[in-house]
Amino acid sequence: MHVRDLSRFLFELSESNNRAWFVMNKPRYDILRAEFLQFVTQLIKEISKFDPAIAGCEAKKALFRINRDVRFGKDKSPYKTNFSASILPNGRKKPSEGGGPAYYFQLDGNGRLFFAVGEYMPPSDRLRAIRNHIVADPAGFSKLLKNKGIKEVFGDLQDEGKLIRPPKGFDANHPHIEQLKLKNFMVWTECSIEGMNAEQILEILTRGFKSAHPLAAWLRSAADCS
């Protein structure tokens, strides 16, 4: 994967996000997409070394399309300005589809790498299963929150969109009530990849995903994610 070429393409796309420009630059996109697919294939192999459940994930299924869904948003730009992938055992791209925890990352035209592990906006039944698991396994969840590897790379669980009040049916005095209010169960971070090559990015992602594997494993144990 030629990182500099990819970043340049995505930067130019962000400046000229229209179909005419994309058609003219489609040959560049096809080459970069093929290289990105190879990169994700290698990343899956590396993740599988510490998380065997990922071994069966197909790289093609992990990649997101570059076309945006413009049906409901005010932004009618036709294309995403990043290359991204979400790696799950069952091939579903989104934890919100009920697929359980994912290893997600994206590269953009500003030379930034964003990566995350966990479940973003899981459906209501899945969210309840996670909350029930916190109640059923408070000691295990406490250990997870204190995990040194996770905290060093990602910090704490993200609390965007957190409920103001305790969710219905859960004790307001529970020791983990603040986590029970969460709508997302994930950690994320980002960094600059300026001057880096694909091997260096692969190392960053592998190390980061490995550090957060305990979160993925705990979430999978919350309920059947199939």
Side-chain angles (χ1 to χ4, degrees):
M1 182 175 69
H2 293 84
V3 180
R4 186 171 61 181
D5 292 348
L6 176 57
S7 294
R8 185 62 188 174
F9 173 85
L10 292 171
F11 177 79
E12 292 177 15
L13 176 59
S14 68
E15 294 290 301
S16 305
N17 198 330
N18 58 72
R19 289 179 176 82
W21 184 93
F22 191 83
V23 170
M24 289 290 293
N25 289 273
K26 184 65 160 51
R28 292 172 64 194
Y29 168 76
D30 290 339
I31 292 171
L32 293 167
R33 180 78 170 183
E35 292 179 348
F36 188 67
L37 178 62
Q38 292 178 344
F39 179 84
V40 173
T41 299
Q42 183 59 42
L43 179 59
I44 290 171
K45 291 180 181 179
E46 295 301 318
I47 296 175
S48 298
K49 293 177 182 178
F50 58 83
D51 189 350
I54 296 300
C57 180
E58 296 181 37
K60 286 185 177 180
K61 292 183 178 181
L63 269 60
F64 284 94
R65 298 171 66 246
I66 198 158
N67 301 79
R68 295 181 63 250
D69 184 349
V70 299
R71 292 174 297 172
F72 308 111
K74 293 183 179 180
D75 182 1
K76 300 302 181 182
S77 302
Y79 305 106
K80 299 172 185 174
T81 55
N82 60 63
F83 272 25
S84 58
S86 188
I87 300 169
L88 297 90
N90 53 24
R92 293 171 179 158
K93 290 186 177 68
K94 300 179 181 178
S96 60
E97 295 174 348
Y103 299 95
Y104 173 86
F105 79 99
Q106 67 180 43
L107 300 165
D108 68 23
N110 294 316
R112 301 294 297 178
L113 167 65
F114 172 96
F115 56 104
V117 178
E119 301 192 38
Y120 175 73
M121 297 298 288
S124 58
D125 57 340
R126 177 67 186 145
L127 185 57
R128 176 164 284 276
I130 295 171
R131 288 169 172 163
N132 285 337
H133 193 43
I134 293 175
V135 174
D137 181 30
F141 189 66
S142 292
K143 183 178 179 181
L144 181 68
L145 294 178
K146 297 174 183 177
N147 185 280
K148 184 177 180 180
I150 295 176
K151 293 183 77 68
E152 286 182 349
V153 177
F154 297 97
D156 298 322
L157 287 172
Q158 299 301 311
D159 61 359
E160 293 183 9
K162 186 176 180 180
L163 295 174
I164 298 175
R165 296 173 178 165
K168 185 177 180 180
F170 291 89
D171 184 1
N173 296 315
H174 192 278
H176 294 308
I177 189 58
E178 293 307 311
Q179 288 75 35
L180 287 168
K181 293 178 183 178
L182 296 175
K183 294 182 180 180
N184 307 307
F185 285 85
M186 60 179 293
V187 292
W188 65 266
T189 189
E190 60 181 340
C191 65
S192 171
I193 55 170
E194 186 174 355
M196 291 187 186
N197 58 34
E199 289 73 22
Q200 291 170 311
I201 296 173
L202 181 67
E203 182 179 351
I204 289 173
L205 288 173
T206 302
R207 184 171 63 249
F209 287 158
K210 184 176 182 179
S211 72
H213 174 244
L215 172 60
W218 188 89
L219 286 169
R220 282 192 203 130
S221 69
D224 182 12
C225 296
S226 60

